[in-house]
Structure formats: structure tokens, C-alpha cells
């Protein structure tokens, strides 16, 4: 504490100035409760962040391995399905082609039958006209 009645000598350095050595500067200390709180928060925070970081690291490594394994399983399943159903699809494609050829032949035969039926109808019509003319003659 300063005493205003005290006369200072020129060699004496005032404690409240910035030119005083650091050891002689008045220090303001944080209360012990606050220091303990900061210390506890620091320790718990470092434990939490350390656990979070290591857990994240191991989880990403595990996820990469799992994604790789899952991709390989999917590709193997696709190959298996191609092997299992590829032969069946090839044989079905041949049968479908045969059925299409048979259907085309049947359509052609139906067209020819329709043409023959039309010709027969025209012949019958001509015969009916001729018969009608002969029936009218006395």
C-alpha cells in the first residue's frame, strides 16, 4: 500500500508503474476454485476429445473395411446370378425366336386362308348371280 506522506527517493521504483521488474509487480491470482475448475475441465475435455478422436479413427477404419467387403460380396452375388440365369436366358431367347418364327408362319398361313376364302366367296357370288339369271328365264 502506498502512503502519501512517504517521500520517495529518486532510486526507489514505484510498484504501480510498468517499469518495475516482473518479480516486484503485484500479481492478481485466480481464485483456487476457478483454477481447480479450469484444471478439471481441461482434464475431462482432453479425455473426452482423446476418446472421441480415437473412436472416430477406429470407426472409419472399420467402415472402410466393411464397405470393401460389402462391395466384394455384391460383385460376387452379381456374378453368381449371371452364371445361374445366363444359360436360362440364352435358352429362352432361342425358344422365343422359334415361337416368333412359328407365329409369323401361322400369320402367313392365316393370310393365305383369308385370300382363298375371299376367292371362294367371289366364286360363290358369281355362281349365285348366274343361278339367279337362269332362274328368271322362263
Amino acid at each position: 500500500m502506498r502512503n502519501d506522506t512517504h517521500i520517495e527517493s529518486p532510486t526507489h521504483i514505484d510498484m504501480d508503474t510498468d517499469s518495475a521488474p516482473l518479480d516486484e509487480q503485484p500479481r492478481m491470482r485466480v481464485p483456487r476454485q476457478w483454477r481447480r475448475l479450469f484444471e478439471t475441465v481441461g482434464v475431462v475435455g482432453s479425455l473426452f476429445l482423446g476418446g472421441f478422436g480415437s473412436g472416430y479413427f477406429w470407426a472409419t477404419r472399420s467402415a472402410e473395411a466393411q464397405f470393401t467387403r460389402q462391395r466384394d460380396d455384391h460383385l460376387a452375388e452379381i456374378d453368381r446370378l449371371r452364371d445361374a440365369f445366363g444359360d436360362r436366358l440364352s435358352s429362352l431367347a432361342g425358344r422365343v425366336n422359334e415361337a416368333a418364327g412359328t407365329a409369323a408362319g401361322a400369320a402367313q398361313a392365316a393370310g393365305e386362308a383369308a385370300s382363298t376364302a375371299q376367292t371362294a366367296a367371289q366364286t360363290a357370288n358369281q355362281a349365285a348371280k348366274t343361278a339367279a339369271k337362269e332362274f328368271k328365264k322362263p
Side-chain angles (χ1 to χ4, degrees):
M1 298 268 239
R2 274 180 66 175
N3 187 357
D4 289 336
T5 59
H6 182 271
I7 298 175
E8 297 178 9
S9 65
T11 59
H12 182 270
I13 299 173
D14 189 11
M15 296 293 228
D16 292 336
T17 65
D18 289 339
S19 62
L22 288 177
D23 292 342
E24 296 176 6
Q25 287 282 339
R27 291 189 302 167
M28 183 177 125
R29 294 185 61 126
V30 178
R32 178 179 292 169
Q33 293 88 355
W34 286 101
R35 286 183 295 178
R36 296 290 287 172
L37 177 67
F38 291 146
E39 178 183 314
T40 303
V41 167
V43 169
V44 170
S46 64
L47 287 172
F48 175 76
L49 292 177
F52 179 77
S54 62
Y56 180 79
F57 171 75
W58 287 110
T60 54
R61 289 194 52 171
S62 174
E64 288 174 3
Q66 185 175 1
F67 289 147
T68 304
R69 189 173 40 242
Q70 189 174 11
R71 185 192 68 216
D72 292 341
D73 290 345
H74 284 303
L75 292 175
E77 181 66 13
I78 289 170
D79 288 340
R80 186 189 70 78
L81 290 173
R82 281 186 186 158
D83 291 342
F85 296 111
D87 295 335
R88 291 180 187 167
L89 288 175
S90 297
S91 67
L92 285 177
R95 290 181 187 171
V96 168
N97 288 335
E98 289 174 12
T102 304
Q108 186 177 5
E112 290 174 2
S115 176
T116 304
Q118 184 181 8
T119 305
Q122 287 175 354
T123 304
N125 192 13
Q126 284 293 346
K129 285 182 184 179
T130 304
K133 283 182 186 179
E134 288 183 14
F135 185 69
K136 280 188 178 184
K137 287 184 186 179

